[in-house]
């Protein structure tokens, strides 16, 4: 190159030390190349060494196996099983040792006991036995796959597999534990699954009995290992893989959940919890799978294998036994699901995770929903449901989730799914799966939870109640009541749609009668419970329970009302064939369903009108010929001094089979003479009133007074009257006659007794015990809230009763005298005591009374009312007497009219009277101090005022005609004095 220094080229660099100048990068590249060459040489040398070693090993092994085969063949009869087993496992080759494995299987069968003993003594024995068993199983699979089963008999191999895997009852887990652990590692279960696929054809139907002998052998091979808890439930069992594989089988292969799959998963998992280190992961997989498998649970009727008749055909017997075995496995699954440990494990997952975790709560909800669907009577005998019912945060979350579930709308706004149900609109299938289980589970469990909550806790009236865990405030309970009310009506509308759905529409909604019936019962149950609570202590505003959308008029008569509603049955959803339509209209069907399930949704006035209408229709039939034929009437003569005795004899069921006929009563006074008077209804009213007051008189012994002066049957009446059921039947019959004749009888009947007459025990709980025995009620509440060790109180499941000075100890449950009351069972003790005092003590008395009442009036008619409304129906409402209403429905005779001055003065006097005096005036004229339920327009005969002339005398009355005989006294003060004196004198029947 040219340089500006005057030199034409650069001079070479020289190193004065004598070293040669080399480029650094080139040197490094050369060194790296040489290193790689040396590495390749070493790898080649190692590879050659390994190849030579492998070849030498193969040749040596081949030679050794050849020599061992020769030695094996020559010394087979002389050598013991241990020697043979050790060498056979080493040289075995499935291609060349077919005959030898056949011989070895026979030898193993002959020396099976020695092999088992060796497995118990040595782990080497267990491994060798497991290895040989794996060889046998794989050989069988190889033969089946190659189709050589006809050439190579496999019976001895099946026999060996069956024998070696058999678990005898006298063998302990440790004897076979190592054997099974080794065989599991060698792919035993995978081989069994392959054997099932190759050997057993798909069945035509599900069966619990193996169809062939070989299938029975394979089934035993599968189940034998599970009888060893230390093996089948060991920590090495791949639970996570099992759960994932089962979930995929259900989803991908569309396998139906069955009790058998459920039982297998439960058996494996419930015993394994606590042993696995990754329990949170296992639980995350387990809960969704379990909730899906539980949909395969069934509700079986009681099946007794001994009851199968001998003359049944073989197929019928097989079917019966199949059902019996499936019922057993179903029941075992339910036992595992509802065990206390399993329930706590499920909720433990909820406690450790975020309570708002919808996946966990959704799985728990689905499990509970499946249990509710198979419950025959009380669902709360399932332990899982009881445990979840006490998780009040979970219950609150379920309700809020049900309210928040929404449907997307094309208009942009979301529609709550619960509102669709409230409006009587079927949601889609996906929406049903989202909303129905939550509502069903919440209503069922919360209803049961409220049953365990005392009124003081519910309303928060004490310090203990202030810390109560009731999950909803009173304002929230009011909102819930309104929602449940509309939801109940909406479900009835769904059950009886105004337009008939086609079969395609039914399939689109995936209509399942069992699911919707269960939902309706759960909603009605909670609605009834909250309504009962509100009946005892009002907390809901007026009109909360009346559903305005169903109307006031109830379009039913006797024939339609007696038809028990069948909600959500498939025929109601499908178009009827010509000439086979329903007997009730849609409106009648809905009204009938509501009256039978939730009658309080109709107003009390509407129900009273219907009740009187039903009685009127019955009376038209029963008393049709009473005006024309003597046999259409019942004539009795009753002595006033022996009112109850004569009535009991003359009006017994034997003497008067049909007491609905018109009853004519002739009263005989204390002198033995017939009392004057024409029975226009007043004599019957007086007789019925006095008879029932005499029968309910505590001095007679049939009834007792509670602490709050209410009447209930005497528990010890059997010590007074031997045939007491006949008397209670008669008293109930006469009370029914009073209702039938629309007669009011003022009887202070206890609330829990009225509840039992209606056949409902929901009100007969510990809350009702306060009126019967306040001391016992107070002690039971003390026991419930006791903070110490309850066993220190030394209580047992017995109760002490006193019967006329004699003390008797009664067991509250079988063996109760030997069962101590503890903190765990004190709630059960409290409710058993309440049940004994309120129910069992008076069970026979109430049953006879109810039968007598039902002899006149069907109990289904009375069940339209709650116990307080029934009391009003019997005794009338304690409401102020409406003088203006009485005035509007009064007639006049003898020269009186509405414009007469005496009549004007009388009504002025009546308006100035106190409430007590008004009641006495009404009793003076009609023999009853309470007005008719629907006003004085229902009074028969009508209230009438008759002119008795200008003579100065006391007013009198003919109660038989509801007639007031009022003298024509012009002076206001004098008339008032005479009227007040007459009604205050308490003069009775014969004053007229």
């Amino acid at each position: 190159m040219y340089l500006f220094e005057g030199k034409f080229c650069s001079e070479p660099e020289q190193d004065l030390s004598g070293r040669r100048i080399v480029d650094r990068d080139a040197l490094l590249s050369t060194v790296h190349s040489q290193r790689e060459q040396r590495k390749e040489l070493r790898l080649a040398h190692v590879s050659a060494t390994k190849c030579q070693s492998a070849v030498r090993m193969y040749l040596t092994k081949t030679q050794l196996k050849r020599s061992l085969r020769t030695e094996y063949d020559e010394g087979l009869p002389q050598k013991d099983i241990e020697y043979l087993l050790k060498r056979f496992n080493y040289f075995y080759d499935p291609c060349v040792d077919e005959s030898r494995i056949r011989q070895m299987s026979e030898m193993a069968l002959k020396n099976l006991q020695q092999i088992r003993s060796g497995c118990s003594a040595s782990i080497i024995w267990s491994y060798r036995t497991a290895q040989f068993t794996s060889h046998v199983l794989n050989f069988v699979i190889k033969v089946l796959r190659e189709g050589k089963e006809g050439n190579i008999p496999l019976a001895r191999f099946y026999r060996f597999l069956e024998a070696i895997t058999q678990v005898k009852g006298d063998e302990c887990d440790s004897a076979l534990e190592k054997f099974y652990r080794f065989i599991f590692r060698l792919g035993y279960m995978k081989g069994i699954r392959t054997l099932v696929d190759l050997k057993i054809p798909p069945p035509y139907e599900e069966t619990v009995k193996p169809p062939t002998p070989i299938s029975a052998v394979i089934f035993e091979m599968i189940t034998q290992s599970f009888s060893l808890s230390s093996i089948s439930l060991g920590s090495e069992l791949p639970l996570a893989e099992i759960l994932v594989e089962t979930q995929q089988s259900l989803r991908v292969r569309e396998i139906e959940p069955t009790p058998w799959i459920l039982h297998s998963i439960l058996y494996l998992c419930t015993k394994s919890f606590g042993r696995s280190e990754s329990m949170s992961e296992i639980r995350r997989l387990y809960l969704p799978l379990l909730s899906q498998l539980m949909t395969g649970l069934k509700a079986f009727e009681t099946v007794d294998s001994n009851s199968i008749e001998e003359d049944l055909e073989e197929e019928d017997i097989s079917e019966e036994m199949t059902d019996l075995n499936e019922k057993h496995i179903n029941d075992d699954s339910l036992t595992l699901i509802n065990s206390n440990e399993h329930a706590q494990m499920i909720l433990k997952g909820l406690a450790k995770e975020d309570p708002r975790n919808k996946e966990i709560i959704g799985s728990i909800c689905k499990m509970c929903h499946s249990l509710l669907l198979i419950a025959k009577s009380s669902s709360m005998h399932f332990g899982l449901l009881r445990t979840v019912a006490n998780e009040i945060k979970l219950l609150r979350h379920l309700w809020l989730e049900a309210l928040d579930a929404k449907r997307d709308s094309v208009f942009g706004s979301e529609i709550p799914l619960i509102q669709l149900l409230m409006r009587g609109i079927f949601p889609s299938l996906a929406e049903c799966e989202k909303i129905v289980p939550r509502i069903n589970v919440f209503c069922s469990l919360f209803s049961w939870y409220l049953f365990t909550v005392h009124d003081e806790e519910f309303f928060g009236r004490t310090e203990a109640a202030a810390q109560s865990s009731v999950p909803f405030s009173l304002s929230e309970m009011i909102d819930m009541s309104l929602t449940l009310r509309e939801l109940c009506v909406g479900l009835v509308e769904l059950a009886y749609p105004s337009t008939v759905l086609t079969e395609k529409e039914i399939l689109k909604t995936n209509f399942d009668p069992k699911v919707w019936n269960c939902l309706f019962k759960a909603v009605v149950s909670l609605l009834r419970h909250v309504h009962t609570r509100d009946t005892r202590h009002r907390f809901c505003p007026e009109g909360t329970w009346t559903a305005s959308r169903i109307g006031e008029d109830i379009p039913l008569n006797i024939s339609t009302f007696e038809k028990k509603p069948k909600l959500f049955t498939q025929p109601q959803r499908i178009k009827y064939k010509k000439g086979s339509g329903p007997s009730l209209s849609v409106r009648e069907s809905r009204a009938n369903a509501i009256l039978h399930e939730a009658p309080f949704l109709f107003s009390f006035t509407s129900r009273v009108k219907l009740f009187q209408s039903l009685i009127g229709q019955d009376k038209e039939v029963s008393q049709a010929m009473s005006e024309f034929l003597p046999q259409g009437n019942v004539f009795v003569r009753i002595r006033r001094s022996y009112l109850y005795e004569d009535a009991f004899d003359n009006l017994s069921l034997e003497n008067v089979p049909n007491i609905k006929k018109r009853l004519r009563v002739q009263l005989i006074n204390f002198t033995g003479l017939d009392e004057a008077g024409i029975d226009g209804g007043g004599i019957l009213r007086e007789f019925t009133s006095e008879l029932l007051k005499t029968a309910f008189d505590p001095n007679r012994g049939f009834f007792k007074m509670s602490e709050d002066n209410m009447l209930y049957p005497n528990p010890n009446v059997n010590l007074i009257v031997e045939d007491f059921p006949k008397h209670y039947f008669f008293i109930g019959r006469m009370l029914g006659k009073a209702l039938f004749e629309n007669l009011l009888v003022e009887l202070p009947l206890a609330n829990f007794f009225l509840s039992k007459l209606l056949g409902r025990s929901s009100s007969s709980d510990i809350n009702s015990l306060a009126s019967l025995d306040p001391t016992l009620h107070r002690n039971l509440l003390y026991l419930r809230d006791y903070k110490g060790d309850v066993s220190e109180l030394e209580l047992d499941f017995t109760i002490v009763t006193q019967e006329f000075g004699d003390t008797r100890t009664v067991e509250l449950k079988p063996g109760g005298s030997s069962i101590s009351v503890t903190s765990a069972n004190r709630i059960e003790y409290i409710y058993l005591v309440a049940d004994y005092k309120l129910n069992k003590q008076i069970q026979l008395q109430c049953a006879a009374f109810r039968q007598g009442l039902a002899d006149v009036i069907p109990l289904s008619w009375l069940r339209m009312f709650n116990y307080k409304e029934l009391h009003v129906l019997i005794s009338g409402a304690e409401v102020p007497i409406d003088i203006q209403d009485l005035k509007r429905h009064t007639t006049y005779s003898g020269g009186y009219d509405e414009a007469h001055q005496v009549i004007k003065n009388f009504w002025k006097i009546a308006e100035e009277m106190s409430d007590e005096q008004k009641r006495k005036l009404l009793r003076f004229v009609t023999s009853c101090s309470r007005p008719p339920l629907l006003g004085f327009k229902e009074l028969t005969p009508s209230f009438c005022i008759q002119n008795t002339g200008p003579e100065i005398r006391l007013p009198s009355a003919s109660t038989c005609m509801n007639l007031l005989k009022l003298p024509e006294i012009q002076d206001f003060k004098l008339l008032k004095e005479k009227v007040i004196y007459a009604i205050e004198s308490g003069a009775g029947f014969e004053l007229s």
Side-chain angles (χ1 to χ4, degrees):
M1 64 180 293
Y2 180 79
L3 300 176
F4 290 98
E5 297 176 353
K7 296 179 180 181
F8 293 94
C9 61
S10 61
E11 297 179 359
E13 296 182 6
Q14 295 183 358
D15 188 357
L16 298 180
S17 64
R19 291 182 304 172
R20 183 179 177 183
I21 303 301
V22 182
D23 184 66
R24 179 177 179 276
D25 293 336
L27 178 63
L28 291 176
S29 175
T30 303
V31 172
H32 178 73
S33 172
Q34 294 173 352
R35 186 184 300 113
E36 289 296 323
Q37 291 177 0
R38 289 193 300 272
K39 181 178 179 181
E40 289 179 2
L41 290 175
R42 285 196 302 271
L43 288 176
H45 179 73
V46 171
S47 298
T49 303
K50 288 183 178 181
C51 290
Q52 293 173 7
S53 175
V55 171
R56 286 195 300 270
M57 182 177 65
Y58 172 76
L59 294 176
T60 303
K61 279 188 175 183
T62 302
Q63 183 179 0
L64 179 60
K65 288 181 179 180
R66 189 180 300 112
S67 63
L68 288 177
R69 283 193 183 93
T70 303
E71 182 181 352
Y72 174 86
D73 294 338
E74 294 175 353
L76 181 63
Q78 294 81 21
K79 301 298 181 179
D80 61 2
I81 189 64
E82 181 182 8
Y83 178 86
L84 296 174
L85 195 63
K86 176 180 179 182
R87 278 149 181 78
F88 180 85
N89 286 336
Y90 182 79
F91 68 71
Y92 172 71
D93 184 348
C95 297
V96 298
D97 292 323
E98 290 185 3
S99 60
R100 294 183 181 87
I101 194 172
R102 195 181 314 161
Q103 296 171 349
M104 192 64 198
S105 298
E106 294 177 354
M107 287 285 296
L109 279 173
K110 294 178 182 178
N111 296 273
L112 187 62
Q113 188 60 42
Q114 183 181 354
I115 293 176
R116 287 183 176 276
S117 300
C119 289
S120 302
S122 170
I123 189 173
I124 300 298
W125 262 97
S126 299
Y127 178 75
R128 288 172 181 169
T129 305
Q131 192 177 15
F132 177 71
T133 304
S134 178
H135 290 330
V136 172
L137 179 59
N138 291 330
F139 178 77
V140 171
I141 294 173
K142 175 179 177 294
V143 172
L144 292 175
R145 282 177 172 171
E146 295 175 354
K148 298 180 180 180
E149 187 177 4
N151 300 327
I152 302 176
L154 299 178
R156 61 171 58 88
F157 299 107
Y158 292 137
R159 179 70 188 99
F160 170 75
L161 291 173
E162 178 186 17
I164 198 64
T165 57
Q166 185 177 11
V167 179
K168 297 182 179 180
D170 56 348
E171 287 184 302
C172 61
D173 288 358
S174 60
L176 292 174
E177 177 181 357
K178 297 180 180 62
F179 166 74
Y180 268 105
R181 289 192 182 279
F182 286 132
I183 203 173
F184 283 160
R185 293 178 184 176
L186 293 172
Y188 175 74
M189 282 300 179
K190 184 177 181 180
I192 291 293
R193 172 58 190 270
T194 305
L195 187 61
V196 170
D197 293 336
L198 293 173
K199 190 62 181 175
I200 302 177
Y204 291 105
E205 59 183 359
E206 292 185 3
T207 177
V208 297
K209 184 178 179 181
T212 60
I214 186 60
S215 61
V217 172
I218 297 176
F219 179 74
E220 287 295 322
M221 291 168 61
I222 296 173
T223 58
Q224 282 294 321
S225 62
F226 295 132
S227 61
L228 297 175
S229 60
S230 60
I231 296 171
S232 61
L233 305 175
S235 59
E236 297 184 14
L237 191 67
L239 279 179
E241 290 81 353
I242 291 174
L243 297 177
V244 172
E245 179 65 27
T246 307
Q247 184 73 45
Q248 291 178 350
S249 298
L250 293 174
R251 183 177 63 253
V252 179
R253 301 178 186 175
E254 297 183 353
I255 298 176
E256 290 293 330
T258 64
W260 308 98
I261 303 177
L262 172 63
H263 187 270
S264 301
I265 295 296
L266 282 169
Y267 188 85
L268 291 176
C269 293
T270 53
K271 304 297 183 182
S272 298
F273 285 128
R275 302 189 182 193
S276 179
E277 295 180 356
S278 57
M279 283 311 302
S280 59
E281 178 65 18
I282 296 296
R283 189 180 290 106
R284 186 186 64 81
L285 298 170
Y286 174 70
L287 293 182
L289 175 60
L290 181 61
S291 65
Q292 185 175 359
L293 290 175
M294 283 179 63
T295 60
L297 287 171
K298 299 180 181 179
F300 286 91
E301 299 291 342
T302 302
V303 180
D304 186 3
S305 58
N306 298 324
S307 65
I308 301 177
E309 299 184 7
E310 297 179 358
D311 58 348
L312 288 176
E313 296 181 2
E314 185 176 353
E315 293 182 0
D316 296 332
I317 295 177
S318 177
E319 184 176 354
E320 289 283 350
M321 294 307 299
T322 299
D323 291 342
L324 184 62
N325 283 284
E326 190 169 2
K327 177 183 182 301
H328 289 163
I329 209 72
N330 195 84
D331 293 344
D332 289 344
S333 299
L334 288 174
T335 301
L336 291 172
I337 291 171
N338 294 287
S339 65
N340 184 58
E341 296 78 8
H342 185 259
Q344 293 299 331
M345 180 277 302
I346 291 175
L347 294 179
K348 184 180 180 181
L350 181 64
K352 286 188 175 183
E353 302 288 340
D354 186 351
R356 293 168 295 182
N357 192 318
K358 293 185 178 181
E359 181 181 354
I360 294 179
I361 294 179
S363 299
I364 295 174
C365 179
K366 193 173 181 180
M367 283 185 271
C368 295
H369 183 60
S370 299
L371 291 177
L372 291 171
L373 291 179
I374 64 170
K376 281 295 183 182
S377 54
S378 174
S379 58
M380 284 305 144
H381 67 276
F382 292 132
L384 178 60
L385 295 181
R386 292 197 305 270
T387 304
V388 176
N390 289 310
E391 294 293 324
I392 56 176
K393 292 183 179 179
L394 175 60
L395 294 181
R396 180 179 178 86
H397 187 86
L398 284 176
W399 177 246
L400 295 179
E401 270 196 347
L403 295 178
D404 291 340
K406 293 179 173 62
R407 166 192 282 186
D408 294 334
S409 174
V410 294
F411 299 104
S413 59
E414 296 179 329
I415 304 174
L417 294 181
I418 198 169
Q419 285 191 11
L420 296 179
L421 296 176
M422 291 163 62
R423 297 172 188 171
I425 302 174
F426 260 117
S428 65
L429 174 59
E431 291 169 341
C432 286
E433 293 177 350
K434 186 177 182 181
I435 187 70
V436 170
R438 282 169 171 76
I439 298 178
N440 186 20
V441 172
F442 169 76
C443 292
S444 299
L445 301 190
F446 190 53
S447 178
W448 183 85
Y449 175 77
L450 286 181
F451 185 77
T452 65
V453 176
H454 192 264
D455 281 346
E456 292 181 354
E457 285 183 297
F458 185 83
F459 295 104
R461 295 182 176 178
T462 64
E463 291 185 5
Q467 302 174 355
S468 173
S469 54
V470 178
F472 300 97
S473 64
L474 289 182
S475 60
E476 289 176 319
M477 288 300 302
I478 294 173
D479 295 337
M480 183 189 298
S481 302
L482 295 173
T483 302
L484 292 174
R485 182 195 72 187
E486 295 303 312
L487 183 59
C488 179
V489 177
L491 290 175
V492 171
E493 293 175 349
L494 282 176
Y496 301 99
S498 55
T499 57
V500 179
L501 297 182
T502 63
E503 293 186 10
K504 182 182 292 187
E505 290 173 327
I506 295 170
L507 294 175
K508 185 178 179 181
T509 59
N510 195 36
F511 177 74
D512 187 350
K514 181 173 63 175
V515 173
W516 289 96
N517 264 314
C518 185
L519 174 65
F520 181 74
K521 290 179 181 179
V523 171
V524 169
S525 176
L526 180 57
L527 189 65
R528 284 177 180 171
H529 192 102
V530 179
H531 176 262
T532 301
R533 187 84 65 166
D534 183 61
T535 302
R536 283 200 301 268
H537 300 286
R538 176 73 63 180
F539 70 93
C540 291
E542 192 70 27
T544 299
W545 301 107
T546 303
S548 57
R549 59 194 277 197
I550 61 178
E552 289 292 325
D553 183 37
I554 306 177
L556 296 176
N557 51 39
I558 290 182
S559 61
T560 55
F561 185 80
E562 289 301 324
K563 292 184 178 181
K564 189 175 181 180
K566 296 181 180 179
L567 283 79
F568 297 107
T569 55
Q570 191 73 8
Q572 289 175 328
R573 309 291 304 170
I574 300 177
K575 204 168 184 177
Y576 289 95
K577 296 180 181 180
K578 186 176 181 181
S580 61
S583 57
L584 299 182
S585 67
V586 173
R587 185 163 176 260
E588 289 174 337
S589 299
R590 291 177 178 178
N592 191 35
I594 292 175
L595 281 173
H596 280 82
E597 301 294 340
F600 47 84
L601 298 185
F602 285 103
S603 66
F604 177 63
T605 302
S606 299
R607 284 176 281 140
V608 171
K609 289 179 180 178
L610 175 62
F611 179 73
Q612 293 186 352
S613 173
L614 296 175
I615 288 179
Q617 297 171 41
D618 194 2
K619 192 179 293 185
E620 288 179 2
V621 177
S622 303
Q623 302 180 1
M625 305 303 294
S626 61
E627 298 291 340
F628 309 103
L629 298 176
Q631 56 267 31
N633 298 273
V634 176
F635 295 92
V636 291
R637 291 172 57 84
I638 304 295
R639 296 171 293 175
R640 275 194 178 273
S641 55
Y642 297 95
L643 191 67
Y644 180 83
E645 291 78 4
D646 287 355
F648 180 74
D649 292 335
N650 295 327
L651 297 175
S652 63
L653 184 63
E654 295 78 9
N655 294 329
V656 183
N658 185 10
I659 205 171
K660 294 182 181 180
K661 294 181 179 181
R662 189 181 297 276
L663 183 59
R664 305 289 187 182
V665 181
Q666 178 60 61
L667 292 174
I668 303 173
N669 61 20
F670 297 99
T671 62
L673 300 177
D674 292 350
E675 292 185 359
I678 301 174
D679 192 356
I683 294 179
L684 176 61
R685 192 162 49 242
E686 176 76 9
F687 161 71
T688 305
S689 177
E690 293 300 323
L691 171 62
L692 290 175
K693 288 180 180 178
T694 302
F696 281 92
D697 187 355
N699 294 321
R700 186 167 289 274
F702 294 121
F703 290 85
K704 293 182 67 175
M705 297 290 290
S706 63
E707 293 291 334
D708 55 356
N709 297 323
M710 304 299 284
L711 293 167
Y712 69 97
N714 185 0
N716 303 320
V717 68
N718 60 305
L719 302 177
I720 303 174
V721 182
E722 292 184 359
D723 58 343
F724 66 90
K726 291 184 178 180
H727 289 270
Y728 283 103
F729 180 88
F730 168 72
I731 299 172
R733 198 176 188 220
M734 293 311 300
L735 181 60
K737 179 64 175 177
L739 290 170
F740 189 78
E741 298 293 344
N742 197 21
L743 305 178
L744 299 180
V745 185
E746 300 176 36
L747 297 171
L749 301 179
N751 291 336
F752 68 89
F753 173 54
L754 291 171
S755 294
K756 290 190 68 64
L757 295 184
L758 297 173
R760 296 171 183 161
S761 59
S762 59
S763 298
S764 299
D765 53 21
I766 189 174
N767 296 293
S768 304
L769 193 60
S771 62
L772 178 64
D773 193 337
T775 302
L776 177 61
H777 177 258
R778 188 165 53 252
N779 291 338
L780 291 178
L781 293 183
Y782 172 78
L783 174 63
R784 184 200 63 186
D785 300 330
Y786 187 68
K787 301 300 182 183
D789 186 1
V790 176
S791 59
E792 296 176 352
L793 302 177
E794 298 183 356
L795 298 172
D796 54 27
F797 279 78
T798 61
I799 189 171
V800 178
T801 63
Q802 291 186 350
E803 300 173 351
F804 297 98
D806 295 334
T807 302
R808 186 167 65 96
T809 301
V810 179
E811 289 187 341
L812 298 174
K813 59 189 297 188
S817 58
S818 58
I819 302 176
S820 299
V821 179
T822 64
S823 300
N825 62 16
R826 58 178 164 184
I827 298 298
E828 180 187 7
Y829 170 79
I830 290 171
Y831 280 92
L832 284 177
V833 171
D835 179 65
Y836 178 80
K837 297 290 289 186
L838 296 170
N839 297 319
K840 291 184 177 179
Q841 268 194 325
I842 56 175
Q843 185 174 5
L844 295 178
Q845 296 89 318
C846 290
F849 193 101
R850 188 164 52 244
Q851 290 175 0
L853 186 62
D855 185 62
V856 186
I857 298 179
L859 293 180
S860 59
W861 298 3
L862 297 178
R863 290 194 180 107
M864 290 191 294
F865 309 96
N866 60 39
Y867 64 91
K868 282 193 174 181
E869 292 169 340
L870 179 59
H871 189 271
V872 172
L873 208 64
I874 294 172
S875 302
E878 294 184 0
V879 295
I881 295 176
D882 189 351
I883 296 297
Q884 293 300 322
D885 183 49
L886 177 60
K887 183 178 178 181
R888 283 193 299 269
H889 298 94
T890 298
T891 60
Y892 306 95
S893 64
Y896 280 152
D897 57 35
E898 192 174 356
H900 199 283
Q901 186 60 42
V902 175
I903 297 300
K904 291 182 178 180
N905 291 339
F906 171 78
W907 290 121
K908 185 178 180 180
I909 293 169
E911 290 176 351
E912 293 177 353
M913 289 180 179
S914 63
D915 288 341
E916 185 64 26
Q917 288 176 332
K918 291 177 183 178
R919 295 185 183 280
K920 290 181 178 180
L921 171 63
L922 190 60
R923 180 176 178 78
F924 179 76
V925 181
T926 67
S927 76
C928 183
S929 63
R930 295 181 180 178
L933 296 178
L934 300 179
F936 287 102
K937 64 180 179 181
E938 301 292 330
L939 187 63
T940 304
S942 299
F943 193 94
C944 181
I945 303 177
Q946 182 182 9
N947 189 343
T948 58
E951 181 181 356
I952 304 300
R953 53 171 293 186
L954 289 174
S956 58
S958 293
T959 56
C960 56
M961 299 298 294
N962 294 333
L963 178 64
L964 174 61
K965 299 177 181 180
L966 185 66
E968 191 176 345
I969 302 175
Q970 299 294 331
D971 184 67
F972 177 82
K973 291 185 178 180
L974 182 60
L975 179 62
K976 182 176 181 179
E977 179 183 344
K978 295 296 184 182
V979 170
I980 297 297
Y981 182 83
I983 64 175
E984 293 284 357
S985 64
F989 227 36
E990 296 187 274
L991 186 61
S992 58

